[in-house]
Amino acid sequence: MASFQLTIDGRTFRDSKGREVTLRGINVAGDAKNPSWPDQPSHIPDNFFDADKLSFVNRPFSVDEAHLHFGRLKRWGYNTIRYIFTWEAIEHEGPGKYDEEWVQHTISILRLAKDYGFYVFVDPHQDVWSRFTGGSGAPLWTVYACGLNPRCFEATEAALVHNTYPDPSTFPKMIWSTNYTRLACQVIFTLFFAGKDFAPKAIIDGKNIGDYLQEHFVGACKHLAERIHEAKDLENDVVIGWESMNEPNRGLVGWQDISAIPSEQKLQKGTSPTAWQAILTGSGRALEIDTWDFGGLGPYQSGTVLVDPKGTTAWLPADYDDSRYGWKRDPNWKMGECLWAQHGVWDPSNDALLKKDYFGKHPKTGEKLDYEYFTNNYFMDYYRSFKTAIRSVHKDCILFCQPPVLEIPPSLKGTPDDDPKMVYAPHYYDGVTLMTKKWNRFWNVDVFGILRGRYISPAFAIKVGETAIRNCLRDQLSAIRQEGVDYMGNHPCVLTEFGIPYDMDDKYAYKTGDYSSQSAAMDANHFAVEGSGMNGFSLWLYMANNNHQWGDQWNGEDLSIYSVDDRPLPPSPSAAQLKNASTTSLNPSPPNSKQNPNWSGVSPSNLKATLSTPSISSDTLTTEPELSNNPGYRAAEAYIRPSPFATVGTVKSYGFDLRNCVFTFSLSAPTATREDLPTEIFLPEYHFPADNLNVEVSGGKWEISLDDTDTGLVQKLKWWHGEGDQNMTVRGVRRRQGVALGNEEEDGYLQQCQQSSCAVM
């Protein structure tokens, strides 16, 4: 097998043959957030807090099922996987107790990813810290280590947790992310990054809680890296690197006044307490809290509500038995009391706030703190520790540095941290679409421009009309990429998360099969990425067990491009013949079924069945009938799109016009291509059936090939061109986007079969 080692050349990735590689990636898989035994998606409350003896083996999927998923993703044109795992998966039983069975399962899955020719970078994933604070990531014992009682988060609203919500089916959409501004996350992230400065009394096993947590988290990641290294056949050839941490958060560091909502806090939904109110309700006090909702024009205050914990506190009781996990807590860290009260922030005897700016200045130097200070100091201290630990094992790995989301990147340019093997790994979501779960074709907002102070008034940031919206998304991503260059130096930029909600418009698509809104939103996002100049992406999300009722099985999210209740996009029925090529080469035989059980050729004999039978089913799935009787293609035409894979020279620009089915690509080559080393482009059969496309090039020759390489059947366009600036335009078959399946779609496929020289027809 060819080497898939990836290197970095300034701001570009290069393969082992020196061609520029564009990372076309996908997050695999959302299933990794929840344990496999017991199988506990976020809407299941049973035995939720019995979280020491559990297992994540067979997450994200079993070895047997991996062929199905990897084969599908390969055929859809992905060459990169952001591989999701959680700290809880490896160290759930207690500090230093690693689940070696899960580790070996992970090794097996990574070996299969290698067989399919994927580049993999590993993502130690977290969302709002942990499943027990409303998200995913850290094991339960870390919450206890911080002196918090997760069983009391519901009463105090220290965290809103789907598993403990009274009626999981009514859990407010996207409210999980507000946990970043609730007590549990504010405490834990402050301790994790800055515990030594803001909580010096929090000592456990002779260490500050911040050091204790960081050492265990980094140690768990290093342990997995060591096992990958010991496997001997994974480093570099498949595992190219590690991401630093998913979406780190500052907690309270830099908050100038905890009695007010900071101006930079743009997300408010549901109850929206100030940090001071959260401290009080976390200590059992009843308070009137403002409530917010997210409407067509963004967040708005909707009223107030009484939050009354009835004396229940979010802190562990004074008689808590600390022997459960074997650690020894310093006696000066008192259980049964708010940690911030112990550090003089407030007086519980009269509920007086004594130091509203406690987190706004450095406790030792008095220096004023903000998010930039946090990123350049506390985050970078963590990043250096993580990098040192991983590089001590995987010595030449690529580090994907992910600073806090949408914040200014750390100032690394020209410093010792300006690492030539570093990648800037930002995230971006269209917040209006994500929060409202609607694709608004009429207006959107330049959120990044607002955050960077580019408008006198937010009103000037509103973009009207779909063309303006698409251009605005592109320009925001371009600005994010450029900001990485300005602050971090000359490094590749990979957007490691973006995506769209599929349950738009109250799940209208699931009832009708009409995914036109999803298709428009997905296309706009890909248009933005393609036009931004970034070096690649990893789309959020692939989920093996998504369904129409519970979505991604996590907090009501539904962003997976695959669902067991929908149909994967079939390949073109005319892929067996090639025409209109300057040079043609095709192996039409499907791969070995054992290697790729997902393969299903389309022919006149199985056309009807292909269009009416999902590729996977689940006997245990329970869905509402009205949500599963009109499956569609899940807007696959918008994310299965052409892209350069390996470019001789440097990519200047590329993009896909979905509406007109036109792919454009320009490059600059220092020399002409060799006969054995062409530029390679992924060209999906659905849009570009080999006998029904038109290719225009500035020079050279090309061919279409359907390659059964790396156990995945992929249609590629190979281009041999001269040196200098070169251009290509490929026109395919225009189709209606996102329509429900019916006679029109079936007739279209039959017409294609009849137009091709198909012997059976």
Side-chain angles (χ1 to χ4, degrees):
M1 176 176 290
S3 172
F4 295 100
Q5 186 168 355
L6 204 64
T7 59
I8 293 179
D9 176 19
R11 285 172 55 189
T12 60
F13 295 106
R14 300 283 174 187
D15 65 13
S16 58
K17 299 175 182 178
R19 296 176 296 182
E20 178 176 352
V21 173
T22 302
L23 300 188
R24 192 170 189 279
I26 184 76
N27 282 268
V28 176
D31 310 76
K33 292 185 178 184
N34 300 316
S36 55
W37 184 86
D39 184 7
Q40 192 164 48
S42 69
H43 57 273
I44 301 297
D46 301 343
N47 303 313
F48 179 56
F49 294 106
D50 297 336
D52 299 340
K53 302 291 185 181
L54 46 72
S55 176
F56 283 75
V57 174
N58 291 330
R59 292 290 191 233
F61 34 68
S62 70
V63 171
D64 290 340
E65 294 171 337
H67 290 286
L68 178 70
H69 301 298
F70 285 154
R72 178 180 294 136
L73 292 171
K74 193 72 177 181
R75 182 161 61 86
W76 289 350
Y78 293 106
N79 63 2
T80 303
I81 286 174
R82 182 181 186 233
Y83 190 82
I84 300 165
F85 83 97
T86 64
W87 181 8
E88 184 184 12
I90 190 173
E91 201 177 1
H92 50 79
E93 190 172 347
K97 297 179 180 179
Y98 300 136
D99 188 336
E100 295 294 347
E101 185 181 1
W102 173 83
V103 170
Q104 291 308 311
H105 171 73
T106 301
I107 298 296
S108 298
I109 295 294
L110 291 174
R111 279 202 174 104
L112 287 174
K114 178 182 178 181
D115 290 343
Y116 283 81
F118 289 110
Y119 299 111
V120 173
F121 62 98
V122 183
D123 164 36
H125 202 85
Q126 73 81 32
D127 305 278
V128 294
W129 186 256
S130 170
R131 289 193 299 131
F132 309 96
T133 52
S136 68
L140 176 62
W141 60 262
T142 64
V143 181
Y144 291 121
C146 292
L148 292 163
N149 186 353
R151 294 177 182 268
C152 297
F153 290 169
E154 181 182 5
T156 59
E157 291 200 3
L160 300 182
V161 182
H162 196 193
N163 297 82
T164 60
Y165 201 72
D167 181 1
S169 65
T170 62
F171 193 64
K173 56 189 178 184
M174 295 307 299
I175 202 167
W176 68 266
S177 55
T178 67
N179 283 314
Y180 278 119
T181 54
R182 299 180 188 275
L183 178 69
C185 277
Q186 288 175 333
V187 168
I188 296 174
F189 277 104
T190 304
L191 297 181
F192 182 85
F193 284 109
K196 284 188 292 188
D197 289 334
F198 293 100
K201 294 182 179 180
I203 304 297
I204 191 167
D205 281 352
K207 302 173 182 177
N208 182 268
I209 183 63
D211 290 338
Y212 185 82
L213 292 173
Q214 282 201 27
E215 286 177 13
H216 277 286
F217 175 72
V218 172
C221 294
K222 182 180 178 182
H223 183 80
L224 178 58
E226 288 172 339
R227 291 292 184 261
I228 291 173
H229 177 77
E230 292 165 3
K232 299 186 182 303
D233 60 343
L234 297 176
E235 283 185 358
N236 300 326
D237 279 348
V238 57
V239 178
I240 61 170
W242 286 69
E243 194 163 357
S244 50
M245 173 194 282
N246 185 67
E247 299 183 354
N249 188 272
R250 64 172 169 167
L252 290 172
V253 178
W255 283 43
Q256 297 303 311
D257 181 358
I258 62 172
S259 67
I261 300 291
S263 59
E264 61 266 31
Q265 181 182 324
K266 303 302 181 185
L267 176 61
Q268 291 180 269
K269 187 176 175 68
T271 51
S272 185
T274 66
W276 170 228
Q277 289 175 319
I279 288 171
L280 289 173
T281 55
S283 292
R285 277 58 163 181
L287 290 176
E288 289 278 347
I289 306 291
D290 290 341
T291 59
W292 286 68
D293 208 342
F294 201 96
L297 296 176
Y300 64 93
Q301 187 174 344
S302 57
T304 60
V305 68
L306 177 67
V307 176
D308 186 1
K310 302 186 187 310
T312 298
T313 77
W315 301 96
L316 288 172
D319 59 354
Y320 176 72
D321 182 6
D322 251 340
S323 66
R324 176 176 175 180
Y325 295 107
W327 56 56
K328 183 175 177 57
R329 200 182 302 265
D330 190 281
N332 290 322
W333 184 1
K334 299 176 183 178
M335 295 296 95
E337 297 182 21
C338 171
L339 182 61
W340 303 135
Q342 295 179 57
H343 286 87
V345 177
W346 67 291
D347 184 353
S349 67
N350 59 9
D351 292 352
L353 177 58
L354 305 176
K355 298 178 181 178
K356 68 178 183 179
D357 62 345
Y358 180 73
F359 302 97
K361 58 185 179 181
H362 197 287
K364 297 176 182 177
T365 67
E367 182 179 0
K368 184 177 179 180
L369 305 182
D370 56 17
Y371 224 132
E372 282 191 70
Y373 184 96
F374 169 83
T375 302
N376 282 286
N377 292 272
Y378 294 111
F379 168 76
M380 281 305 300
D381 286 345
Y382 158 76
Y383 177 79
R384 294 184 191 106
S385 297
F386 181 85
K387 179 178 73 172
T388 299
I390 298 301
R391 288 260 180 89
S392 71
V393 180
H394 189 167
K395 299 189 183 304
D396 52 357
C397 73
I398 297 170
L399 262 295
F400 290 74
C401 179
Q402 186 189 152
V405 177
L406 293 182
E407 297 298 331
I408 294 174
S411 298
L412 310 182
K413 190 173 183 178
T415 73
D417 292 310
D418 194 353
D419 174 9
K421 288 186 176 293
M422 178 175 63
V423 173
Y424 178 37
H427 288 183
Y428 178 85
Y429 287 91
D430 170 10
V432 173
T433 301
L434 191 66
M435 296 303 297
T436 63
K437 297 202 175 188
K438 296 179 184 294
W439 171 244
N440 189 328
R441 291 175 168 86
F442 304 106
W443 69 270
N444 207 306
V445 179
D446 179 4
V447 173
F448 190 75
I450 292 175
L451 292 174
R452 294 298 181 267
R454 294 173 183 166
Y455 298 97
I456 298 175
S457 165
F460 293 105
I462 297 175
K463 307 299 178 182
V464 179
E466 195 159 12
T467 297
I469 291 169
R470 288 162 62 91
N471 291 339
C472 176
L473 295 175
R474 178 201 60 201
D475 294 345
Q476 289 180 78
L477 294 187
S478 296
I480 289 171
R481 179 194 60 78
Q482 185 59 47
E483 196 172 66
V485 174
D486 295 341
Y487 282 87
M488 297 177 67
N490 196 40
H491 304 282
C493 178
V494 176
L495 189 68
T496 58
E497 277 192 30
F498 73 106
I500 66 158
Y502 275 88
D503 54 342
M504 294 183 189
D505 307 313
D506 297 319
K507 302 187 178 183
Y508 175 79
Y510 298 165
K511 302 167 187 176
T512 64
D514 181 357
Y515 281 84
S516 54
S517 290
Q518 290 84 347
S519 183
M522 183 67 82
D523 179 50
N525 275 264
H526 278 81
F527 167 83
V529 175
E530 292 164 356
S532 68
M534 291 183 174
N535 304 88
F537 63 82
S538 53
L539 177 65
W540 187 270
L541 168 75
Y542 184 86
M543 178 87 188
N545 291 303
N546 174 287
N547 64 49
H548 284 181
Q549 183 180 6
W550 292 108
D552 297 334
Q553 312 284 336
W554 183 82
N555 278 333
E557 282 203 348
D558 193 356
L559 282 81
S560 175
I561 63 172
Y562 173 76
S563 173
V564 299
D565 287 337
D566 282 306
R567 302 179 183 127
L569 196 69
S572 165
S574 56
Q577 297 287 334
L578 285 176
K579 295 180 181 179
N580 302 326
S582 63
T583 307
T584 64
S585 170
L586 178 67
N587 175 9
S589 303
N592 182 282
S593 59
K594 181 178 180 181
Q595 293 178 317
N596 191 346
N598 186 50
W599 167 256
S600 175
V602 183
S603 66
S605 62
N606 70 3
L607 176 63
K608 190 80 174 180
T610 299
L611 290 173
S612 60
T613 306
S615 65
I616 187 172
S617 63
S618 174
D619 294 335
T620 60
L621 184 65
T622 56
T623 59
E624 303 170 63
E626 66 271 20
L627 297 184
S628 61
N629 60 1
N630 278 297
Y633 285 154
R634 210 164 173 84
E637 70 276 0
Y639 62 80
I640 301 177
R641 49 204 293 133
S643 171
F645 268 177
T647 302
V648 176
T650 302
V651 174
K652 293 180 64 179
S653 66
Y654 75 97
F656 179 50
D657 178 351
L658 174 61
R659 182 170 299 173
N660 295 302
C661 199
V662 177
F663 173 68
T664 55
F665 176 39
S666 65
L667 60 85
S668 180
T671 61
T673 56
R674 305 197 317 250
E675 189 65 29
D676 63 340
L677 197 65
T679 288
E680 297 185 7
I681 301 158
F682 170 62
L683 207 62
E685 302 164 69
Y686 178 79
H687 294 298
F688 302 95
D691 68 339
N692 197 0
L693 57 79
N694 177 267
V695 181
E696 299 174 6
V697 295
S698 55
K701 64 178 182 177
W702 54 269
E703 72 173 25
I704 304 292
S705 65
L706 194 60
D707 297 339
D708 177 17
T709 57
D710 309 317
T711 70
L713 196 67
V714 177
Q715 179 173 278
K716 295 180 181 178
L717 189 155
K718 297 178 181 179
W719 183 19
W720 291 264
H721 51 77
E723 65 177 298
D725 293 343
Q726 304 290 334
N727 302 290
M728 168 181 285
T729 301
V730 187
R731 292 178 172 83
V733 178
R734 294 179 60 182
R735 309 181 192 278
R736 292 180 61 192
Q737 274 76 61
V739 297
L741 295 179
N743 292 332
E744 176 186 283
E745 189 73 5
E746 295 176 12
D747 289 346
Y749 268 77
L750 286 168
Q751 289 167 5
Q752 286 187 53
C753 284
Q754 291 165 346
Q755 290 169 2
S756 69
S757 54
C758 179
V760 177
M761 289 298 287

